[in-house]
Amino acid sequence: MNEKLAIHGGPKSIDKNFNWPIYDEAEVNAVAEIVASGKWGNPDCGDAIARFEAEFAAYCGSKYAITCVNGSVSLRLALIACGVKPGDEVIVPPYTFITTASSVIECNCVPVFVDIDPDTYNISPAAIEAAITPRTKVIIPVHFGGLACDMDAIMSIAKKYNQKVIEDAAHAHGAEYKGKKLGSIGHVGSFSFQSSKNLTSGEGGIVITDDDELYAMMHSLRNVGRIEGGAWYDHYNPGCNYRITQMQAVLLSEQLKKLEAQTRTRNENGLCLNTLLENIAGIEPLKRDETITLHCYHIYIFKYDPTYFGGLPKADFAEMLAAEGVPSFKGYPHPLYKQPLFQNKNFMCYAIPDHVDYTTVHCPEAEKACSSDAVWILQHAMLGDKTDMEAFANAILKIQSAMNV
């Protein structure tokens, strides 16, 4: 007899809390020391921020790192520093969080959505090249879920057409492509430290680069247009106060000490889960090849085929899986261009050309991922152990058995 599903009142497959964030007395003491010092701000109160920036740059193998208030602003700083002008086009994937595209709008530029690779859910290099026009200035590949994009192909296209590449690495702290940390391959790498991210201080962001000119401009924009070595009341660029606090910086320094070990745990668990799920009919993990030398699994994604689950819709399957105790989610309900912002052209004061029309955009692979295929397991679950991965797989089998009675 099939076991009763948890969503119908049966026992959960996994009765475990996968806590996030993970911290100890080191974080508590570091923040307490800043609070007790009374020197909380930036840039004139202590060196915790500069110290973390140096640590993160070194960790990523980059020359420079500049902190800011969040991962949305980090993209905006990068875009402005890359020299975009009103009406310029920026190529982005539609399978990502809103700020990958809305930051482009905030720079008075036009997001151009191109489809994803169905095997990886990352932006398709072929689709990028097909979308380039004389107005294209920047490409923003998103390392979705922590899986590296095909950076060799993307950088080759960028060089061919004289484009700048901003890596959206908000999901990709610690992950690697051919042994290089993600974010360090393009002209700029952008990260988020929002509360769900693999490296977090609740909120915050950072950009990394090896380019002296890009660094100087992003540093200035972050600090109300001041320049390094300039006077306090001299403002050279139209920046704003996008600085983080000393408390965030010390939190991040302590969290960074844990990141590499956590990333390797997620990577090993992801490999284990791939092996387990490959043996379940109707479940297909996303592909990773030899270029992916380290995957940080901010999201573990697999494809779901309802044919093998009695025709059960994806949303219902994801709800059942979550009820079984797997930290899981059905993913985005639709691609970005279907958002009211783009469908209704709610661009407000931003100088987006009148001819831009997102009602005709169609990215079939992204739409399929949203509507029927993609199911997510969240990053904190990937910090479990092998028995947890086996329990996740068994929970899927339990649902499959119940649906195929």
Side-chain angles (χ1 to χ4, degrees), residues 22 30 66 89 95 148 152 166 179 184 207 222 262 274 276 281 352 389-390:
I22 295 171
I66 306 129
E89 294 176 352
Y95 195 72
D152 283 352
I166 300 170
S184 69
V207 281
R222 182 272 304 265
Q262 289 174 343
N274 284 348
L276 292 166
I352 308 306
M389 303 305 111
E390 291 169 345

Side-chain angles (χ1 to χ4, degrees), residues 8-53:
H8 298 145
K12 294 170 66 172
S13 298
I14 301 100
D15 189 15
K16 177 177 179 178
N17 291 323
F18 296 92
N19 296 318
W20 187 257
I22 295 171
Y23 62 92
D24 54 33
E25 288 302 309
E27 282 88 349
V28 174
N29 292 337
V31 172
E33 287 176 14
I34 294 295
V35 172
S37 75
K39 297 178 179 180
W40 301 354
N42 173 21
D44 299 320
C45 297
D47 61 358
I49 293 163
R51 182 171 63 250
F52 170 69
E53 289 172 339

